Amino acid sequence: MSLRFARRAGCACVLLALAGCGGAVRVDPPAPEPSAAAACRTLAGRLPRVLDGAERTESTPASPYVAVWGGGEITLRCGVPRPVNMNATDQVPVINDVAWFQDPGRPLLYTSVARAAHVEVTVSREHVPENVLADLAAPITAALPQTG
């Protein structure tokens, strides 16, 4: 490969990366049940602007049930269904009064359980999941009452 071709390819990669910067991140919003939808809208108003050092960014399509930080490094979807892989006997860790199920098949995906709405959080390897989940605990406990 010639040096000139390598430079052009490198420039093209940089331009593509920059084109993605600052744009809205595509996240499919859930379709929560009406009672969960109301709780999720309350949660949306309580979410932090910065999460584990990542700034809040726009998502597309716009939805009160989705929040994104760090250009997609952290995503939150409120009002998702109960995790299909979760069994009644599963032990789930509790972080600051919020129980989190971690799907063994998707290690970067956490779902809050035993609340008025399930909240799904995806955390990239650039962040510490425990920090993210701990930072989300206060808004979740304030907005989403516990259920049996």
Side-chain angles (χ1 to χ4, degrees), residues 11 16 25 31 35 62-63 65 67 76 78 91 101 106 130 137 140 143 145:
C11 288
L16 287 173
V25 177
S35 61
S63 171
Y65 313 124
L76 177 147
C78 186
Q91 296 293 316
F101 172 74
R106 299 180 68 193
E130 293 79 11
I140 288 173

Side-chain angles (χ1 to χ4, degrees), residues 71-130:
E73 294 171 3
I74 303 167
T75 62
L76 177 147
R77 296 182 342 124
C78 186
V80 299
R82 182 180 185 275
V84 294
N85 293 339
M86 190 174 138
N87 299 312
T89 58
D90 284 337
Q91 296 293 316
V92 294
V94 176
I95 300 174
N96 296 348
D97 294 327
V98 178
W100 294 96
F101 172 74
Q102 183 180 12
D103 188 327
R106 299 180 68 193
L108 302 176
L109 177 69
Y110 302 85
T111 306
S112 71
V113 294
R115 296 271 164 191
H118 294 107
V119 177
E120 177 185 277
V121 179
T122 305
V123 183
S124 73
R125 293 188 189 337
E126 286 82 25
H127 295 277
V128 178
E130 293 79 11

